[in-house]
Amino acid sequence: MTSVAESAAGRTGAGGTVVDGARREDIVGGAGGAGLAFRLERAGLGYGRDAVLREVELEVAPGEVLVVVGASGSGKSTLLRALAGLLPPSEGRILAGGREVTGPSADRAMVFQDDGLLPWRSVRRNVELPLRIRGVARSERGRAAQEWIEKVGLAGFARHLPRELSGGMRQRVQLARALVGAPRAVLMDEPFGALDAQTRAEMQRLLLEVLRETSATVVFVTHDVEEALLLADRVAVLGRTGVRAVLDVPVGDEARTNLRERILEEL
Amino acid sequence: MAGPRTAPHSPSPGPGTDPATVSDAVSDAENAPATGPGTADADSKNAIGSTGPTAPVSGGPGAPDGTAGGLTASRGAAGGQAVLRWGIRAASLPAAAGLWQVLTAADARLWLRFDRLPTLGEIAERFGAQLTTSLYYLDLLQSLIRILTGFGLAAVAGIATGILVARSRRAGDVLLPLLEAVRPIPAIALVPIAILLFPTDEQGIVFITFTAAFFPVTVSTRHAVRALPTIWEEAVRTLGGTRRHVLWNVVLPGILPGVFGGLSVGMGVAWICVISAEMISGEFGVGYRTWHAYTVVDYPGVIVGMITIGVLGWLTSAAIELIGRRATGWLPRAEGSRR
């Protein structure tokens, strides 16, 4: 079994940033860096007595793509919302970059399943939003937004409203909006779950392509095991009782077939 | 990657509009800023996506080519129906006016006593005479100033209060009991208080108008805030936005559709109250003039006043409707009725 850092390096290596084991320890220790590390310590997530998840122990290495798979109702979204800081843990703690998560931050951008765009803002103004919030000058944010709109393949659609776009195009906009502010982590909540198979495959390719340019940590939630195997450095399997296994995604078809069976077993 | 790869595969954004058409329509619309609503630009491509029935080239909303002919035929029949309906609509008002004329000219007394009411001719004559006096316009202006002041203040205060009680628990605890206690009192019942409280009648009338419009605006704003999907707020917060950013970028634009409903209702009751208040305690204004006409047995003048009030009410409501449509152009609309 390869180490977390090696599998993370498998992706980031292509972009030029190699995260080796020693440096990873530094970053987890809170020294900062490009990708954000997460650590959940005996975290209880959910409301009141009927906590959706209890005593969650999970580590996410900086720069890796961790895909969380689980059946519906297993608390995948809850886990993601907790990492985003939208849902404070009822017990235990959540650390991001060594610091306790107390609320949402621009460091941890989120991509929602659908309808996360502000419908009264055009594509460009949606993508510009994080920069506007940060007080970036108008010309600068227009340039950056345009660059990302082109990167996600929406050149020519900058002035469209979200309702004038298809579901896949709207998710492209969300992706651009999440990445334009160069966050240290991107949290994706079944972003392709509502798309047809063909569009989903395209979006997955686009995501892999775009992620090569960033060293941000990615936590990606899905119920689709194939999607997990395609995108992940590591896969976390979520069952009714919490995180059941965290598995490295190996190279090679046979090894992947074995892993797929292992995941389906854990589910 | 180059070009929007999703376009050929993904579902089109709306019935009958493939992304390319949308693209053309929108960019054309944006390239022609002089083109206002309703001014058809004959040669522009945007005619195709938006005009529906009059543009058979487009194949109709979402219709596969095979069924386009059938649709056109059924549209022809529907067209005949539409003409008939418009004919009936156009005839309905003159018919009612004709009935009025018959009853008043014949001095009919059928339990209802039409003999006291003026005929159309008398009304028209009076209206013509009034239009030449400066007093008529002075009254009109006076009423408009009152309603715009009262309504304007109510819109600002109502939206602010509605947001405050919906977004802040503490503010809600303090203000909601107060609001709920005062709300059932019809604003016009506040006339004695207004006379006692304010130094001049003018301020009292504006106060009554304000109170009338304030509650519908507050209530609709409050409900609109509470009905906002949480995902927009979460999106802005995970992009680094503070509560202030959420207020300006999510709450204010997001509640507009609901708020405009409240503004429409508010404008209606504001007119009721400004006219009533003028009848009770005004020295100028359309309401005062109408009541005054009654007391000096100038019955055609009463009808002229009524018509004036109706036209003013209709104009102000239409203005709000128009502004509302402009401000909420992002809402999904039925095919063929683009902003």
Side-chain angles (χ1 to χ4, degrees):
Chain A
M1 194 163 137
T2 53
S3 81
V4 171
E6 274 164 7
S7 55
R11 174 176 68 85
T12 47
T17 332
V18 177
V19 183
D20 62 90
R23 255 194 67 203
R24 189 194 132 230
E25 290 308 314
D26 290 344
I27 295 165
V28 173
L36 200 59
F38 290 100
R39 175 148 57 195
L40 283 84
E41 295 176 350
R42 301 177 62 85
L45 309 173
Y47 295 102
R49 284 162 300 160
D50 40 24
V52 180
L53 291 167
R54 281 205 181 125
E55 307 232 331
V56 179
E57 297 275 354
L58 182 67
E59 257 189 63
V60 187
E64 78 167 323
V65 177
L66 178 79
V67 175
V68 180
V69 288
S72 32
S74 59
K76 305 186 294 283
S77 293
T78 309
L79 176 65
L80 204 66
R81 287 164 55 80
L83 292 177
L86 292 170
L87 180 76
S90 50
E91 55 195 42
R93 6 182 247 163
I94 299 171
L95 302 175
R99 248 169 286 162
E100 190 154 353
V101 171
T102 53
S105 139
D107 259 359
R108 288 166 268 130
M110 188 134 169
V111 175
F112 299 87
Q113 180 166 14
D114 197 7
D115 297 327
L117 299 174
L118 302 182
W120 49 85
R121 284 178 163 256
S122 66
V123 167
R124 175 179 297 141
R125 283 175 28 86
N126 260 292
V127 175
E128 275 183 9
L129 188 60
L131 304 177
R132 205 190 128 112
I133 286 171
R134 209 180 288 173
V136 174
R138 178 185 290 265
S139 61
E140 172 59 21
R141 57 177 200 250
R143 195 196 53 72
Q146 188 57 38
E147 190 185 318
W148 270 101
I149 288 167
E150 281 164 21
K151 265 186 207 170
V152 298
L154 289 179
F157 289 87
R159 303 173 81 162
H160 283 50
L161 288 171
R163 71 174 160 89
E164 297 169 316
L165 306 178
S166 67
M169 291 159 96
R170 284 201 295 269
Q171 292 309 84
R172 285 166 188 261
V173 181
Q174 276 215 61
L175 194 60
R177 187 179 69 178
L179 290 167
V180 72
R184 297 178 59 201
V186 184
L187 310 169
M188 308 184 80
D189 188 4
E190 299 205 41
F192 311 144
L195 304 179
D196 62 88
Q198 199 159 10
T199 312
R200 189 184 312 157
E202 271 175 40
M203 291 302 295
Q204 289 163 347
R205 275 203 300 279
L206 172 68
L207 180 63
L208 285 171
E209 205 173 304
V210 168
L211 287 182
R212 224 172 274 147
E213 293 187 27
T214 142
S215 44
T217 308
V218 176
V219 182
F220 187 108
V221 158
T222 183
H223 59 256
D224 181 349
V225 178
E226 298 306 322
E227 188 167 63
L229 290 172
L230 178 69
L231 299 173
D233 296 323
R234 291 193 303 152
V235 176
V237 185
L238 219 56
R240 299 226 172 275
T241 49
V243 181
R244 301 192 51 151
V246 182
L247 308 161
D248 283 357
V249 177
V251 186
D253 288 346
E254 198 181 332
R256 278 175 184 246
T257 309
N258 292 339
L259 179 62
R260 179 182 301 120
E261 273 158 23
R262 175 88 196 277
I263 292 172
L264 291 172
E265 233 166 71
E266 294 285 354
L267 283 172
Chain B
M1 72 184 285
R5 280 199 206 153
T6 36
H9 311 294
S10 50
S12 52
T17 52
D18 63 84
T21 312
V22 173
S23 159
D24 288 342
V26 169
S27 57
D28 282 359
E30 283 172 352
N31 291 342
T35 314
T39 57
D41 196 6
D43 65 346
S44 78
K45 277 179 251 162
N46 65 13
I48 293 173
S50 54
T51 44
T54 55
V57 203
S58 70
D65 288 339
T67 62
L71 266 177
T72 316
S74 70
R75 262 192 208 127
Q81 279 267 306
V83 169
L84 182 66
R85 286 186 61 201
W86 277 107
I88 292 172
R89 285 181 185 184
S92 126
L93 196 56
L99 184 64
W100 173 282
Q101 178 64 13
V102 169
L103 290 169
T104 52
D107 285 343
R109 291 190 68 123
L110 319 151
W111 185 66
L112 291 172
R113 299 167 296 182
F114 288 96
D115 54 334
R116 301 178 174 199
L117 297 182
T119 62
L120 291 184
E122 289 170 315
I123 297 168
E125 193 183 317
R126 192 80 185 79
F127 214 148
Q130 290 239 7
L131 285 175
T132 60
T133 65
S134 60
L135 192 64
Y136 178 79
Y137 298 99
L138 202 64
D139 284 332
L140 211 140
L141 195 65
Q142 186 73 60
S143 292
L144 270 178
I145 289 172
R146 284 169 178 159
I147 198 137
L148 291 182
T149 314
F151 178 81
L153 291 172
V156 173
I159 292 171
T161 310
I163 292 175
L164 197 64
V165 296
R167 299 273 303 169
S168 152
R169 185 176 301 175
R170 180 56 56 82
D173 288 344
V174 173
L175 292 174
L176 277 179
L178 269 172
L179 293 172
E180 291 306 316
V182 180
R183 187 155 71 108
I185 305 171
I188 201 68
L190 299 175
V191 165
I193 294 287
I195 292 172
L196 293 174
L197 201 58
F198 288 93
T200 68
D201 280 356
E202 192 58 37
Q203 293 154 348
I205 292 172
V206 170
F207 169 74
I208 302 279
T209 314
F210 167 86
T211 315
F214 174 76
F215 287 102
V217 177
T218 307
V219 171
S220 63
T221 304
R222 183 176 158 228
H223 285 297
V225 173
R226 290 168 59 169
L228 275 180
T230 52
I231 189 168
W232 294 336
E233 176 168 358
E234 290 179 348
V236 168
R237 290 180 65 210
T238 54
L239 295 171
T242 60
R243 269 175 80 94
R244 195 171 51 84
H245 289 119
V246 171
L247 177 67
W248 286 103
N249 294 299
V250 175
V251 177
L252 281 172
I255 61 175
L256 282 184
V259 166
F260 270 96
L263 290 176
S264 272
V265 176
M267 184 54 97
V269 288
W271 270 113
I272 295 175
C273 286
V274 86
I275 297 299
S276 314
E278 282 178 351
M279 284 182 168
I280 297 168
S281 70
E283 284 171 43
F284 277 110
V286 186
Y288 167 78
R289 197 62 57 201
T290 304
W291 188 251
H292 180 73
Y294 169 72
T295 57
V296 300
V297 206
D298 171 15
Y299 298 145
V302 172
I303 308 289
V304 169
M306 283 167 49
I307 294 171
T308 308
I309 293 164
V311 170
L312 286 177
W314 177 75
L315 281 177
T316 46
S317 294
I320 289 181
E321 176 77 10
L322 193 71
I323 298 169
R325 275 178 164 274
R326 287 264 156 147
T328 60
W330 50 272
L331 281 177
R333 295 208 196 286
E335 184 75 359
S337 64
R338 279 183 31 193
R339 56 193 159 130

